[in-house]
Short mmCIF file of all heavy atoms in Angstrom, two decimals:
data_model
loop_
_atom_site.label_atom_id
_atom_site.label_comp_id
_atom_site.label_asym_id
_atom_site.label_seq_id
_atom_site.Cartn_x
_atom_site.Cartn_y
_atom_site.Cartn_z
N MET A 25 131.62 125.52 68.56
CA MET A 25 131.95 125.62 70.01
C MET A 25 130.71 126.11 70.78
O MET A 25 130.49 125.70 71.95
CB MET A 25 133.14 126.49 70.26
CG MET A 25 133.72 126.40 71.63
SD MET A 25 135.22 127.29 71.84
CE MET A 25 135.62 127.03 73.53
N LYS A 26 129.89 127.02 70.17
CA LYS A 26 128.75 127.57 70.88
C LYS A 26 127.73 126.48 71.20
O LYS A 26 127.21 126.36 72.33
CB LYS A 26 128.06 128.66 70.00
CG LYS A 26 126.89 129.31 70.69
CD LYS A 26 126.28 130.42 69.84
CE LYS A 26 125.22 131.13 70.58
NZ LYS A 26 124.63 132.20 69.77
N SER A 27 127.40 125.63 70.17
CA SER A 27 126.45 124.54 70.39
C SER A 27 126.96 123.52 71.40
O SER A 27 126.28 122.95 72.20
CB SER A 27 126.10 123.88 69.06
OG SER A 27 127.15 123.29 68.41
N ALA A 28 128.36 123.26 71.29
CA ALA A 28 128.90 122.21 72.25
C ALA A 28 128.88 122.77 73.67
O ALA A 28 128.64 122.04 74.58
CB ALA A 28 130.38 121.98 71.80
N SER A 29 129.07 124.09 73.73
CA SER A 29 129.03 124.74 75.09
C SER A 29 127.65 124.61 75.74
O SER A 29 127.53 124.31 76.92
CB SER A 29 129.50 126.13 74.97
OG SER A 29 129.47 126.78 76.26
N VAL A 30 126.64 124.87 74.87
CA VAL A 30 125.28 124.77 75.44
C VAL A 30 124.93 123.37 75.88
O VAL A 30 124.41 123.14 76.99
CB VAL A 30 124.28 125.28 74.37
CG1 VAL A 30 122.80 124.97 74.76
CG2 VAL A 30 124.43 126.68 74.04
N ILE A 31 125.29 122.39 75.05
CA ILE A 31 124.99 120.98 75.37
C ILE A 31 125.78 120.56 76.60
O ILE A 31 125.30 119.83 77.49
CB ILE A 31 125.31 120.04 74.21
CG1 ILE A 31 124.41 120.40 72.94
CG2 ILE A 31 125.11 118.55 74.56
CD1 ILE A 31 124.92 119.75 71.67
N ALA A 32 127.06 120.94 76.64
CA ALA A 32 127.95 120.60 77.77
C ALA A 32 127.37 121.15 79.05
O ALA A 32 127.36 120.48 80.07
CB ALA A 32 129.32 121.14 77.55
N CYS A 33 126.92 122.44 79.09
CA CYS A 33 126.34 123.08 80.26
C CYS A 33 125.05 122.33 80.74
O CYS A 33 124.82 122.12 81.88
CB CYS A 33 126.02 124.51 80.05
SG CYS A 33 127.54 125.52 79.97
N ILE A 34 124.13 121.92 79.76
CA ILE A 34 123.03 121.26 80.04
C ILE A 34 123.33 119.84 80.71
O ILE A 34 122.58 119.43 81.62
CB ILE A 34 122.11 120.98 78.78
CG1 ILE A 34 121.61 122.34 78.29
CG2 ILE A 34 120.98 120.03 79.01
CD1 ILE A 34 120.90 122.31 76.95
N LEU A 35 124.38 119.23 80.33
CA LEU A 35 124.77 117.95 80.86
C LEU A 35 125.56 118.13 82.18
O LEU A 35 125.40 117.41 83.13
CB LEU A 35 125.63 117.18 79.87
CG LEU A 35 124.92 116.63 78.65
CD1 LEU A 35 125.90 116.13 77.64
CD2 LEU A 35 123.83 115.57 78.98
N TYR A 36 126.50 119.13 82.18
CA TYR A 36 127.42 119.29 83.25
C TYR A 36 126.74 119.62 84.61
O TYR A 36 126.97 118.97 85.62
CB TYR A 36 128.49 120.32 82.96
CG TYR A 36 129.50 120.63 84.09
CD1 TYR A 36 130.51 119.72 84.35
CD2 TYR A 36 129.47 121.83 84.59
CE1 TYR A 36 131.36 120.07 85.38
CE2 TYR A 36 130.37 122.22 85.64
CZ TYR A 36 131.33 121.26 85.97
OH TYR A 36 132.22 121.63 86.96
N PHE A 37 126.04 120.72 84.59
CA PHE A 37 125.54 121.24 85.89
C PHE A 37 124.49 120.29 86.54
O PHE A 37 124.62 120.04 87.74
CB PHE A 37 124.92 122.63 85.70
CG PHE A 37 126.07 123.60 85.43
CD1 PHE A 37 126.23 124.17 84.18
CD2 PHE A 37 126.88 124.10 86.42
CE1 PHE A 37 127.23 125.07 83.94
CE2 PHE A 37 127.90 124.97 86.24
CZ PHE A 37 128.06 125.49 84.96
N PRO A 38 123.55 119.70 85.83
CA PRO A 38 122.64 118.75 86.50
C PRO A 38 123.43 117.55 87.07
O PRO A 38 123.12 117.13 88.25
CB PRO A 38 121.66 118.35 85.49
CG PRO A 38 121.70 119.52 84.48
CD PRO A 38 123.08 119.99 84.46
N MET A 39 124.36 116.99 86.30
CA MET A 39 125.08 115.86 86.74
C MET A 39 126.05 116.20 87.97
O MET A 39 126.13 115.46 88.96
CB MET A 39 125.98 115.17 85.64
CG MET A 39 125.17 114.45 84.68
SD MET A 39 126.17 113.27 83.81
CE MET A 39 125.09 112.80 82.44
N LEU A 40 126.63 117.35 87.90
CA LEU A 40 127.59 117.77 88.97
C LEU A 40 126.80 118.02 90.29
O LEU A 40 127.22 117.66 91.35
CB LEU A 40 128.31 119.07 88.61
CG LEU A 40 129.30 119.63 89.63
CD1 LEU A 40 130.46 118.68 89.80
CD2 LEU A 40 129.79 120.96 89.23
N ILE A 41 125.62 118.66 90.17
CA ILE A 41 124.83 119.02 91.35
C ILE A 41 124.04 117.88 91.93
O ILE A 41 123.95 117.61 93.12
CB ILE A 41 123.99 120.23 91.00
CG1 ILE A 41 124.82 121.48 90.72
CG2 ILE A 41 123.01 120.56 92.28
CD1 ILE A 41 123.98 122.64 90.20
N PHE A 42 123.29 117.15 90.99
CA PHE A 42 122.32 116.18 91.42
C PHE A 42 122.79 114.67 91.44
O PHE A 42 122.06 113.87 91.94
CB PHE A 42 121.07 116.33 90.59
CG PHE A 42 120.39 117.67 90.76
CD1 PHE A 42 120.37 118.50 89.64
CD2 PHE A 42 119.89 118.11 91.91
CE1 PHE A 42 119.77 119.84 89.71
CE2 PHE A 42 119.32 119.34 92.07
CZ PHE A 42 119.25 120.23 90.93
N SER A 43 123.90 114.41 90.88
CA SER A 43 124.35 112.98 90.81
C SER A 43 124.92 112.48 92.13
O SER A 43 125.15 111.26 92.28
CB SER A 43 125.45 112.85 89.72
OG SER A 43 126.61 113.55 90.00
N GLY A 44 125.22 113.41 93.02
CA GLY A 44 125.89 113.00 94.29
C GLY A 44 127.35 113.52 94.38
O GLY A 44 128.02 113.29 95.36
N ALA A 45 127.82 114.16 93.30
CA ALA A 45 129.17 114.59 93.20
C ALA A 45 129.31 115.81 94.19
O ALA A 45 130.47 116.04 94.70
CB ALA A 45 129.61 115.03 91.88
N THR A 46 128.29 116.67 94.40
CA THR A 46 128.35 117.76 95.35
C THR A 46 127.32 117.65 96.46
O THR A 46 127.68 117.49 97.64
CB THR A 46 128.14 119.05 94.60
OG1 THR A 46 126.93 118.94 93.80
CG2 THR A 46 129.31 119.42 93.69
N LEU A 47 126.08 117.54 96.14
CA LEU A 47 125.08 117.32 97.17
C LEU A 47 124.92 115.83 97.40
O LEU A 47 124.90 115.04 96.42
CB LEU A 47 123.67 117.85 96.77
CG LEU A 47 123.59 119.39 96.51
CD1 LEU A 47 122.22 119.70 95.90
CD2 LEU A 47 123.85 120.11 97.84
N PRO A 48 124.86 115.38 98.73
CA PRO A 48 124.73 113.95 98.98
C PRO A 48 123.42 113.40 98.35
O PRO A 48 122.32 114.04 98.48
CB PRO A 48 124.64 113.88 100.48
CG PRO A 48 125.36 115.17 100.91
CD PRO A 48 124.99 116.19 99.92
N PHE A 49 123.52 112.28 97.75
CA PHE A 49 122.31 111.68 97.08
C PHE A 49 121.22 111.34 98.10
O PHE A 49 120.04 111.49 97.79
CB PHE A 49 122.85 110.38 96.40
CG PHE A 49 121.76 109.55 95.73
CD1 PHE A 49 121.30 109.91 94.44
CD2 PHE A 49 121.14 108.43 96.33
CE1 PHE A 49 120.23 109.16 93.90
CE2 PHE A 49 120.19 107.74 95.77
CZ PHE A 49 119.76 108.08 94.44
N GLU A 50 121.68 110.93 99.32
CA GLU A 50 120.70 110.47 100.28
C GLU A 50 119.79 111.61 100.88
O GLU A 50 118.71 111.33 101.35
CB GLU A 50 121.47 109.91 101.52
CG GLU A 50 122.17 108.55 101.17
CD GLU A 50 123.47 108.78 100.46
OE1 GLU A 50 123.94 109.92 100.28
OE2 GLU A 50 124.03 107.81 99.92
N VAL A 51 120.20 112.90 100.69
CA VAL A 51 119.33 113.94 101.28
C VAL A 51 118.35 114.48 100.26
O VAL A 51 117.45 115.27 100.65
CB VAL A 51 120.23 115.15 101.75
CG1 VAL A 51 121.28 114.69 102.74
CG2 VAL A 51 120.93 115.86 100.52
N MET A 52 118.39 113.96 99.09
CA MET A 52 117.42 114.40 98.04
C MET A 52 116.11 113.71 98.18
O MET A 52 116.02 112.57 98.66
CB MET A 52 118.02 114.18 96.63
CG MET A 52 119.28 114.83 96.36
SD MET A 52 119.92 114.48 94.76
CE MET A 52 121.61 115.18 94.84
N PRO A 53 114.93 114.40 97.78
CA PRO A 53 113.69 113.72 97.83
C PRO A 53 113.64 112.47 97.10
O PRO A 53 114.34 112.27 96.02
CB PRO A 53 112.74 114.77 97.19
CG PRO A 53 113.47 116.03 97.35
CD PRO A 53 114.94 115.69 97.25
N VAL A 54 112.83 111.52 97.44
CA VAL A 54 112.69 110.16 96.85
C VAL A 54 112.36 110.26 95.42
O VAL A 54 112.96 109.60 94.57
CB VAL A 54 111.66 109.28 97.61
CG1 VAL A 54 111.56 107.96 96.87
CG2 VAL A 54 112.06 109.08 99.06
N ALA A 55 111.46 111.24 95.11
CA ALA A 55 111.07 111.35 93.66
C ALA A 55 112.19 111.79 92.84
O ALA A 55 112.42 111.36 91.64
CB ALA A 55 109.96 112.39 93.52
N MET A 56 113.08 112.71 93.36
CA MET A 56 114.19 113.20 92.57
C MET A 56 115.29 112.09 92.48
O MET A 56 115.90 111.96 91.50
CB MET A 56 114.82 114.38 93.24
CG MET A 56 116.00 115.05 92.58
SD MET A 56 116.72 116.48 93.42
CE MET A 56 115.33 117.62 93.02
N GLN A 57 115.48 111.28 93.48
CA GLN A 57 116.36 110.12 93.48
C GLN A 57 116.10 109.22 92.36
O GLN A 57 116.98 108.72 91.68
CB GLN A 57 116.33 109.39 94.87
CG GLN A 57 116.96 110.21 95.97
CD GLN A 57 117.05 109.36 97.22
OE1 GLN A 57 116.77 108.16 97.23
NE2 GLN A 57 117.42 109.95 98.32
#
């Protein structure tokens, strides 16, 4: 569970924050997009 939790956090937070699910995709810098 510990290794799964680490991998899940590494995947979850970047996708949740930067995929457009929370912050609008359009306001992000072009390089980040």
Side-chain angles (χ1 to χ4, degrees):
M25 195 173 178
K26 184 177 180 179
S27 61
S29 181
V30 171
I31 297 170
C33 287
I34 292 172
L35 293 172
Y36 175 72
F37 289 106
M39 284 203 194
L40 181 67
I41 296 171
F42 299 114
S43 65
T46 50
L47 295 176
F49 178 82
E50 292 77 12
V51 304
M52 298 178 192
V54 176
M56 183 179 288
Q57 288 183 9

